[in-house]
């Protein structure tokens, strides 16, 4: 029989994402609603290993729903990769009597949670907090919508100057392993091409397409590149296009960390609140070692070990849409 969960810890881990605070708030308030003791764990798994754990009340999460970043801080924790580090973490949790954990983070953080819950009798529930949306088992991750809207806003501004000067802008957005920010923002801003890590970049085809449009005097002004595209990112793409098409006035713009920050969008606050509420319900109902997602607007639960294995897949039709709409 599964033991009853009475004291829960919540932490944010890995890369930060806007909406993490809204998720923390939902976990804390739902926990308190159900009469649980709730503890905040600072700086991801580091707080578990170093015993940086504190009791949270309803008011601890006042006025944070609209704030980017995470009040619990986040980090990567080398020690948690080792059995000794995880043992220390377990002993610290035991000191507080914590017997359930909510982990808000990406697939790496879920891997950590999976390993930990295999070794120790502390059930874990994950919430997907990552701007990259690179976790299978959920249509959306907390932070993606905000990040992609930030990218769209920035690219729209760049489009104005691109248009005024008839320039070609190569814009790099975040996504080392996943092209969702590039694909969504590229379609939403009418980009000519979108280059993503999931597809091999065919630079010759892009040059051919640009040359053909040059002949037609079509004003081509935006290419969106995910930082992890296999050609080497926007700088490399910019370099070769400048060499091969000297008539084009090429500029490169790397959006960088502005995509991580800022006040979360309504959508991210909403899914963070629904997921945070659901995580606590999972712990109480004995649905353990899963992560909470949303599929077709319904809560969806995936075992942590499966979340770790599967990746979302890029829909081929979306790539076709980019091509057709840019012709
Ligand atoms: P994200 O959650 O954003 O994918 P990381 O991949 O950096 O971020 O993972 C966050 C943390 O999760 C790591 O620093 C480490 O503490 C923990 N972690 C990741 N993978 C494992 C693993 N296989 N075993 C134990 N801990 C892990």
């Amino acid at each position: 029989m599964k033991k009853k969960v009475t004291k829960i810890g919540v932490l944010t881990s890995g890369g930060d994402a806007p909406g993490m605070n809204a998720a923390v708030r939902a976990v804390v308030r739902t926990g308190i609603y159900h009469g649980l003791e709730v503890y905040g764990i600072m700086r991801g798994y580091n707080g578990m290993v170093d015993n940086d754990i504190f009791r949270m009340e309803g008011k601890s999460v006042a006025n944070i729903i609209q704030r980017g970043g995470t009040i619990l801080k986040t980090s990567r924790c080398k020690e948690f990769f080792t059995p000794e580090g995880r043992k220390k973490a377990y002993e610290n949790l035991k000191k507080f009597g914590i017997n359930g954990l909510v982990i808000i983070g990406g697939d790496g953080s879920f891997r950590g949670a999976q390993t930990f819950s295999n070794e120790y009798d502390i059930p874990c529930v994950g919430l997907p907090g990552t701007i990259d949306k690179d976790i299978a088992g959920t249509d959306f991750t907390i932070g993606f919508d905000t990040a992609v809207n930030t990218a769209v806003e920035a690219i729209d501004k760049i489009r104005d100057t691109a248009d005024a000067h008839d320039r070609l802008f190569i814009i790099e957005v975040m996504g080392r392993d996943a092209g969702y920010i590039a694909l969504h923002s590229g379609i939403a801003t009418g980009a000519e091409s979108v280059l993503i890590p999931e597809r091999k970049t065919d630079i010759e085809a892009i040059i051919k397409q640009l040359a053909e449009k040059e002949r037609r005097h079509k004003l081509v002004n935006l290419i969106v590149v995910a930082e992890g595209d296999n050609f080497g990112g926007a700088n490399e793409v910019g370099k070769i296009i400048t060499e091969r098409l000297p008539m084009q006035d090429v500029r490169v713009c790397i959006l960088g960390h502005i995509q991580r920050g800022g006040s979360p969008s309504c959508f991210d606050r909403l899914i963070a609140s629904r997921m945070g509420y659901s995580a606590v319900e999972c712990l109480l109902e004995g649905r353990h070692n899963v992560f909470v997602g949303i599929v077709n607007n319904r809560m969806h639960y995936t075992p942590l070990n499966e979340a770790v294995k599967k990746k979302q897949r890029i829909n081929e039709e979306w790539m076709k849409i980019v091509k057709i709409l840019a012709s």
Side-chain angles (χ1 to χ4, degrees), residues 13-15 45 76-77 80-81 86 105-109 111-112 115:
S13 167
Y45 292 118
R76 290 170 164 116
C77 174
F80 205 71
F81 282 101
R86 293 193 293 275
D107 62 335
S109 303
R111 256 192 303 280
T115 311

Side-chain angles (χ1 to χ4, degrees), residues 119-249:
E119 292 171 342
Y120 298 104
D121 59 342
I122 298 198
C124 295
V125 172
L127 296 187
T130 159
I131 61 167
D132 290 326
K133 200 171 88 72
D134 56 349
I135 297 175
T138 187
D139 291 342
F140 295 98
T141 58
I142 298 164
F144 173 74
D145 185 64
T146 308
V148 93
N149 274 297
T150 302
V152 165
E153 212 182 306
I155 296 170
D156 281 348
K157 288 180 179 160
I158 292 167
R159 181 185 264 284
D160 287 348
T161 172
D163 183 57
H165 289 272
D166 288 341
R167 273 181 183 148
L168 169 63
F169 265 89
I170 322 277
I171 300 157
E172 185 173 294
V173 297
M174 279 188 162
R176 254 195 298 267
D177 305 308
Y180 293 99
I181 296 181
L183 191 51
H184 285 234
S185 65
I187 291 177
T189 56
E192 191 66 23
S193 302
V194 175
L195 313 185
I196 56 174
E198 293 88 343
R199 298 283 183 281
K200 194 170 176 321
T201 294
D202 184 351
I203 201 74
E204 290 306 323
I206 292 167
I207 290 169
K208 204 168 142 212
Q209 194 185 6
L210 289 172
E212 194 269 322
K213 285 179 181 167
E214 210 173 69
R215 269 193 300 280
R216 280 201 275 136
H217 300 290
K218 179 180 189 266
L219 298 176
V220 174
N221 49 24
L222 295 176
I223 292 179
V224 175
V225 185
E227 60 184 327
D229 107 287
N230 79 307
F231 198 73
N235 279 322
E236 292 307 310
V237 174
K239 224 185 276 168
I240 191 154
I241 294 178
T242 308
E243 268 168 37
R244 300 278 298 277
L245 299 171
M247 296 289 282
Q248 292 273 351
D249 185 7

